[in-house]
Amino acid sequence: TPAPPPGLEDDRERLTSGSRVLLVVEDDARFALILRDLARELGFQCLLAATATDGLEAALGHAPHAIILDMNLPDHSGLTVLDQLKRNPRTRHIPVHVLSAADRTREALELGAVGFALKPVQREQLLDVFRTLETKSAPGTRRVLVLEDDARQRESIQKLLETEDVEVECVATAHDALQRLREHTFDCMVMDLRLPDLSGQDLLERMAAEEAVSFPPVIVYTGRTLSLDEEQQLRRFSRSIIIKGVRSPERLLDEVTLFLHQVETRLPPEHQRMLQAARDRESTLEGRRILVVEDDVRNIFALSSVLEPRGAKVEIARNGKEALALLTKSLAQPQLAVDLVLMDIMMPEMDGLTATREIRKHDAWRKLPIIALTAKAMRDDQEKCLQAGANDYIAKPLDVEKLLSLLRVWMPKG
């Protein structure tokens, strides 16, 4: 694995077996040292990494017990690190707590982070972060609450999720669920929206309102397609929405094991196969229209050869002006609507920052995901991109896996 960041000393040369290891991925040296010292004080050995690439390498090389992850790293966004950690069977179970100056709470929690704290962070908050990481990385039985009124469905979910380390408790009504939540702490909850006594929406609102009720990650597992409005409503409470479908037991297992921090290699072989299947059948880009704003033919070719085989339709604009013209045209022709923009920053006619600011002036495009392609891993470049209104950034030369991670994070759902 790479050496610690220049001038910073960590514990990688003296890791002892049986010790608890914390990996800190943070490019602000001063803050990294504060985290390192606190980790040591609380009995952890600490590894430091200052870039996304070094962070991923250290996670794979040292298999730490827990990770603290910054979002604005010089080479790639912290969300790409989180996505890749959670897609790799070897690192998926490691609890990751995110610290960032920009609010990326929802994206991080949906990807499986155990928590999110906005910088600047006080010592008391940091102690909470360490407590959360300790409870999530401690071995022991995990508990799942399943709320489903159909007895057959209840039984099949229980059979799917139960292992020697996972206890599944099933209830048939929202009132029973509230009662169980008052009495016990669960690591995760799976629920249907159609319930005999309360609507799923009402139950979530009650859970949110009740001080005494612990509120675990909720996975909505439902037999019908949700309207956009319902999705928006549920998104306020639910970490991840799963639609019940023919093959969706895999998706359910995938999400539940993620929130339980189960070690994938220790799961029954059948479960491991299902998780692999859920990952292989990834259809994030299928039928999606991506606008590539880029003036370099080689980059256009490179991007198209990644996106098109995965089912995306690629539109090309050579500069910011062409991009705006193309987006304007799509307003009149909804079938040409763009789902996501990859925006190069250095272009003739109109550069990427100006184009991004212009796009954000229109109500119709306020929520359009824009990923900036920056020429080099420079802190200033990224700050400028985010300030101009980009959702995220990736430095060239493009790393295919990291680009796909960003597309998974930002591609609108549904």
Side-chain angles (χ1 to χ4, degrees):
T1 54
L8 299 186
E9 169 263 339
D10 67 8
D11 299 323
R12 72 188 64 208
E13 296 306 324
R14 39 174 190 277
L15 293 179
T16 52
S17 71
S19 68
R20 291 176 312 156
V21 178
L22 173 77
L23 168 62
V24 172
V25 188
E26 166 64 75
D27 68 331
D28 172 343
R30 204 179 51 87
F31 189 50
L33 292 178
I34 292 173
L35 291 169
R36 180 200 67 185
D37 294 347
L38 185 57
R40 286 173 172 172
E41 197 180 307
L42 296 172
F44 285 88
Q45 288 192 301
C46 187
L47 300 171
L48 299 176
T51 65
T53 310
D54 287 356
L56 270 171
E57 242 178 89
L60 282 165
H62 293 286
H65 294 83
I67 297 174
I68 290 179
L69 175 64
D70 178 36
M71 285 285 101
N72 283 20
L73 296 162
D75 51 343
H76 296 284
S77 145
L79 289 172
T80 58
V81 179
L82 186 54
D83 178 76
Q84 301 210 337
L85 289 169
K86 295 301 172 190
R87 283 177 70 78
N88 189 325
R90 286 165 51 201
T91 51
R92 188 166 200 254
H93 58 280
I94 303 171
V96 179
H97 202 297
V98 171
L99 300 177
S100 170
D103 188 355
R104 293 272 181 263
T105 312
R106 209 194 77 192
E107 291 80 15
L109 293 180
E110 282 184 5
L111 282 173
V114 295
F116 188 101
L118 266 176
K119 291 178 175 177
V121 197
Q122 305 308 315
R123 184 183 161 90
E124 203 34 62
Q125 274 176 292
L126 285 178
L127 290 169
D128 279 343
V129 168
F130 278 93
R131 265 181 230 119
T132 307
L133 289 170
E134 282 191 56
T135 41
K136 294 293 182 190
S137 59
T141 307
R142 306 280 185 235
R143 305 181 64 159
V144 180
L145 180 63
V146 172
L147 166 54
E148 165 64 71
D149 62 331
D150 177 328
R152 276 219 324 261
Q153 185 68 9
R154 230 181 8 250
E155 200 179 314
S156 69
I157 294 176
Q158 182 160 14
K159 255 171 65 190
L160 173 71
L161 300 178
E162 219 157 33
T163 63
E164 50 193 66
D165 303 324
V166 179
E167 274 176 27
V168 176
E169 202 165 316
C170 295
V171 290
T173 67
H175 285 97
D176 286 351
L178 278 168
Q179 197 45 46
R180 304 307 293 148
L181 286 162
R182 286 183 195 114
E183 295 161 6
H184 292 288
T185 304
F186 291 91
D187 296 283
C188 178
M189 174 171 164
V190 177
M191 62 179 269
D192 190 0
L193 290 180
R194 272 184 246 177
L195 300 165
D197 51 343
L198 285 180
S199 75
Q201 187 65 38
D202 291 339
L203 170 63
L204 287 164
E205 288 196 20
R206 282 208 198 173
M207 285 167 67
E210 275 203 44
E211 294 292 305
V213 175
S214 69
F215 197 29
V218 172
I219 295 166
V220 175
Y221 186 48
T222 180
R224 59 201 176 83
T225 311
L226 302 177
S227 74
L228 220 65
D229 192 44
E230 286 178 303
E231 268 206 38
Q232 286 300 316
Q233 285 295 315
L234 286 170
R235 277 256 178 254
R236 303 208 329 260
F237 307 107
S238 163
R239 281 234 197 141
S240 103
I241 290 196
I242 294 189
I243 312 295
K244 231 184 253 176
V246 198
R247 308 213 43 182
S248 94
E250 292 95 329
R251 290 281 300 128
L252 180 61
L253 186 67
D254 187 44
E255 296 291 345
V256 171
T257 52
L258 181 67
F259 291 128
L260 298 187
H261 303 283
Q262 286 175 281
V263 180
E264 194 167 316
T265 48
R266 288 196 207 134
L267 293 174
E270 177 53 21
H271 278 186
Q272 294 189 40
R273 272 200 299 279
M274 287 175 79
L275 291 171
Q276 196 47 56
R279 253 174 247 140
D280 291 345
R281 251 205 333 280
E282 205 199 13
S283 51
T284 322
L285 302 182
E286 195 55 56
R288 293 315 188 83
R289 196 175 286 275
I290 296 176
L291 172 58
V292 172
V293 191
E294 168 68 81
D295 63 323
D296 183 328
V297 183
R298 287 163 311 184
N299 287 338
I300 293 172
F301 177 75
L303 285 165
S304 302
S305 60
V306 169
L307 302 173
E308 284 174 346
R310 288 175 173 81
K313 301 185 178 71
V314 177
E315 296 284 347
I316 292 157
R318 297 303 172 98
N319 57 50
K321 273 196 183 143
E322 282 186 22
L324 284 162
L326 223 139
L327 287 170
T328 307
K329 196 168 101 185
S330 74
L331 288 177
Q333 298 168 284
Q335 73 277 15
L336 296 180
V338 167
D339 293 299
L340 181 140
V341 179
L342 290 174
M343 177 76 75
D344 185 31
I345 295 306
M346 308 285 285
M347 290 178 298
E349 294 267 338
M350 183 191 282
D351 68 74
L353 292 176
T354 313
T356 302
R357 284 189 207 101
E358 288 300 318
I359 291 172
R360 290 295 184 231
K361 286 179 187 168
H362 296 260
D363 280 348
W365 305 323
R366 284 262 153 82
K367 290 218 160 75
L368 177 65
I370 299 176
I371 296 172
L373 312 176
T374 62
K376 48 197 178 309
M378 295 289 283
R379 194 35 168 304
D380 295 352
D381 281 9
Q382 289 134 23
E383 293 294 340
K384 280 185 199 142
C385 295
L386 298 174
Q387 277 162 6
N391 297 71
D392 222 318
Y393 59 85
I394 183 167
K396 296 180 190 174
L398 295 178
D399 172 315
V400 173
E401 282 308 314
K402 298 208 172 85
L403 175 65
L404 292 173
S405 285
L406 276 186
L407 294 173
R408 275 192 291 273
V409 174
W410 293 108
M411 186 60 78
K413 310 276 184 284

